[in-house]
Amino acid sequence: QVQLVESGGGLVQPGGSLRLSCVVSGGTFSDYAMAWFRQVPGKEREFVQAISWIGGTTYSADSAQGRFSISRDNAKNTVYLQMNSLEVEDTADYYCAASKRAPYGGSVSALYDYWGRGTQVTVSS
């Protein structure tokens, strides 16, 4: 059973930074493209960034471009989301997701087979 566990969320002031981590167990991590999505209660889940199974290709939502960076360490079974210049609008629950069907990933949530339970990010002064 593949499991994804996120960590690193918390409260940060506008303009600050956070680094989220997601550890994958129960599968071969390098087989999966990985992605981060976020969701505000009452709203649809929103794509943030994705990275291919080897890590050579990344995709980003416009809202994250230039501020966020996704990376992966296949030796540690971990994907990261470095978030800089955080804005109040970035407040959400952040979820990592894994896809074996789409090795280069993508922005569509239906591509992803496994999901973590999320970590909360609050940007507030």
Side-chain angles (χ1 to χ4, degrees), residues 39-123:
Q39 189 169 22
V40 175
K43 294 189 176 181
E44 291 188 359
R45 191 165 292 186
E46 175 188 21
F47 170 72
V48 179
Q49 293 194 327
I51 188 166
S52 61
W53 60 300
I54 294 178
T57 303
T58 61
Y59 302 92
S60 180
D62 289 343
S63 59
Q65 188 71 42
R67 299 188 300 125
F68 295 3
S69 178
I70 189 170
S71 61
R72 66 188 295 159
D73 186 338
N74 284 357
K76 295 183 178 180
N77 291 359
T78 303
V79 61
Y80 304 97
L81 184 67
Q82 178 66 44
M83 303 188 293
N84 299 326
S85 302
L86 282 161
E87 302 169 353
V88 172
E89 292 75 20
D90 296 317
T91 296
D93 294 322
Y94 283 71
Y95 299 87
C96 70
S99 175
K100 197 169 185 177
R101 292 176 285 157
Y104 289 92
S107 62
V108 178
S109 61
L111 291 173
Y112 295 88
D113 306 295
Y114 304 101
W115 293 82
R117 293 189 174 185
T119 185
Q120 187 174 52
V121 172
T122 302
V123 184

Side-chain angles (χ1 to χ4, degrees), residues 9-33:
L11 173 64
V12 63
Q13 292 186 342
S17 298
L18 281 176
R19 188 176 82 155
L20 306 183
S21 301
C22 173
V23 178
V24 179
S25 61
T28 303
F29 181 66
S30 59
D31 284 349
Y32 300 101

